[in-house]
Amino acid sequence: MTGLRPILVLNGPNLNMLGVREPHIYGHHTLGDVEDMCRERAAALGVEVTFGQSNYEGELVGMIQQARDGASGIVINPGAYTHTSVAIYDALKLAELPVIEVHLSNPHRREEFRHHSYISLVAEGIVAGFGARSFVMAIEGMVGYLRRQVPAGGPGD
Ligand code: DQA
């Protein structure tokens, strides 16, 4: 392995219902399938991944706080909290870890209320619209970022 701490892959509300929930939007993969895909890709890249999911905002905040000293980066699909949660945004800021925001769907071609993300303000990158593959792409992006194979995108970097 690489000496990197594990990457935390965190999922928010209703993502435990993947496979059952609106499969025409979110696809047929279960959350277990997604986790297997992430684990497999991460192993091929020589990094570890850990997983968390909660339907509760405060629990997600707690998991992000714990990641501060235990993870090398956070790949997060905050579900509907993407569009509402200042608490998750604040937790991600205090974690001081690179964040990649993930969505299975492309929120920008959906309802207007999904167009704003608090999480994007703190994310190094965003992957959206590729179904379960979005997570795998986010793992690839995170590993590249952690190994400094790709630049951080923002001005002033
Ligand atoms: C989602 C998009 C959100 O708008 C929605 O509330 C979700 C899932 C996605 O993965 O496409 O729960 O984050």
Side-chain angles (χ1 to χ4, degrees):
M1 293 276 165
T2 54
L4 285 179
R5 290 172 169 177
I7 295 167
L8 174 63
V9 178
L10 200 51
N11 277 284
N14 299 309
L15 291 160
N16 56 314
M17 297 302 286
L18 279 184
V20 174
R21 176 191 182 196
E22 298 181 278
H24 59 290
I25 297 177
Y26 298 114
H28 293 277
H29 291 287
T30 65
L31 186 57
D33 296 335
V34 168
E35 292 181 356
D36 286 345
M37 289 163 71
C38 288
R39 210 177 277 113
E40 197 177 308
R41 188 68 189 117
L45 293 168
V47 296
E48 282 180 59
V49 273
T50 56
F51 299 97
Q53 189 277 329
S54 178
N55 294 323
Y56 298 93
E57 190 175 26
E59 281 186 12
L60 292 164
V61 167
M63 289 186 229
I64 293 166
Q65 289 178 359
Q66 280 187 359
R68 185 186 153 93
D69 296 318
S72 61
I74 302 175
V75 167
I76 183 167
N77 183 349
Y81 288 140
T82 305
H83 318 297
T84 63
S85 182
V86 176
I88 291 176
Y89 164 71
D90 281 346
L92 289 169
K93 269 179 49 172
L94 79 79
E96 294 185 273
L97 293 171
V99 172
I100 297 187
E101 176 182 349
V102 176
H103 301 285
L104 296 128
S105 67
N106 174 0
H108 295 282
R109 62 183 278 185
R110 300 182 63 195
E111 304 97 317
E112 181 107 30
F113 67 84
R114 296 187 202 276
H115 296 181
H116 177 262
S117 166
Y118 284 99
I119 308 311
S120 297
L121 289 168
V122 75
E124 297 296 336
I126 304 164
V127 186
F130 296 95
R133 281 272 312 149
S134 293
F135 283 90
V136 176
M137 294 161 81
I139 297 283
E140 290 166 355
M142 179 63 84
V143 172
Y145 176 78
L146 291 169
R147 292 184 176 149
R148 295 290 187 269
Q149 291 166 356
V150 293
D157 284 323

